[in-house]
Amino acid sequence: MLIKEIFTKSKKKKYATIPSEAAKQDVPEGIMTKCPECKKIMYTKEIMKNVKVCINCGYHHPMNAKERFDSFLDDGTFEELNAEMISENPLNFPDYLEKVEKDRKKTNINEAVVTGIGHVEGNKIVMAVMDSTFRMGSMGSVVGEKITRAIEKADELNVPFIIFTASGGARMQEGVLSLMQMAKTSVALKRFSDNGGLIISIMTHPTTGGVSASFASLGDFNFAEPGALIGFAGRRIIEQTIREELPEDFQTAEFLLKHGQLDAVINRIELKEQIANILSIHQLGGELKW
């Protein structure tokens, strides 16, 4: 081998290699997730292990109903209620049922709320979880009926009722029928409360409109996740109405806590333990663990 060839082969390249399209496709889709708050890119599986809370900044990524049940209830204790209920089109709103059917296929649930019976650290409860991936968690007749039936089941079993809310408000395609759910669910909660039932409401991002103005705010304990948007009307509408500029953190969970509309803002990582403690206190002979 010539000396010239030795030096030629050992010479480093001074240019970058652009990966081919085939090489790019070797990376599975969804393996990485970018946090919308701190912009840090992390392994999706690491975020999932951390109950979808950003490891870097603590941002709470949205959870669907299945993820919420899996993370909050004891393993193997979930028993779904009224899963077969589906929406009709009482006002003959154009394309309404087609859109609902599309969401059913996308989310694998029949409506914007999933209800069921389960256990939290051994404490039996009835639980409702609103899912923002289905029609933005909007409240229609079926949503109101399922929540009402869940409350009545908790009354029947004499166990606490816990609801996780996430909603854009009433479902406009059902008009006044969707607004009626505010009254129906509120009456059911009042009856349950009069019978000694415990109600825990946990508001997640976002909880707005008629949902925030009814059952979401009627718990014996009203909690929220950090940074959750909670309010009735939109910020711009309120500013135009009162002709004043609102604080930057207006309608956040932290703002509501500061002004006495929430009992606590609880990090999702600590949520199950905190709720289990409250449930234990309200059991017969229950004691607070310090």
Side-chain angles (χ1 to χ4, degrees), residues 150-212:
I151 297 166
E152 291 172 348
K153 176 58 73 172
D155 201 5
E156 175 190 330
L157 298 175
N158 193 27
V159 298
F161 174 70
I162 298 176
I163 185 165
F164 286 82
T165 58
S167 177
R171 192 172 298 179
M172 68 172 189
Q173 292 91 341
E174 296 187 25
V176 70
L177 296 175
S178 64
L179 296 176
M180 288 169 59
Q181 307 313 309
M182 297 171 62
K184 182 167 71 175
T185 52
S186 297
V187 169
L189 284 173
K190 178 63 166 65
R191 187 183 299 116
F192 179 55
S193 180
D194 288 345
N195 291 338
L198 172 66
I199 307 161
I200 300 176
S201 175
I202 303 159
M203 293 172 243
T204 69
H205 181 79
T207 296
T208 61
V211 171
S212 70

Side-chain angles (χ1 to χ4, degrees), residues 94-113:
D95 302 324
Y96 176 42
L97 291 183
E98 288 79 1
K99 291 178 180 178
V100 170
E101 181 60 29
K102 184 178 178 181
D103 274 11
R104 282 197 200 103
K105 292 178 180 178
K106 180 182 72 174
T107 61
N108 291 319
I109 56 176
N110 282 334
E111 254 301 340
V113 67

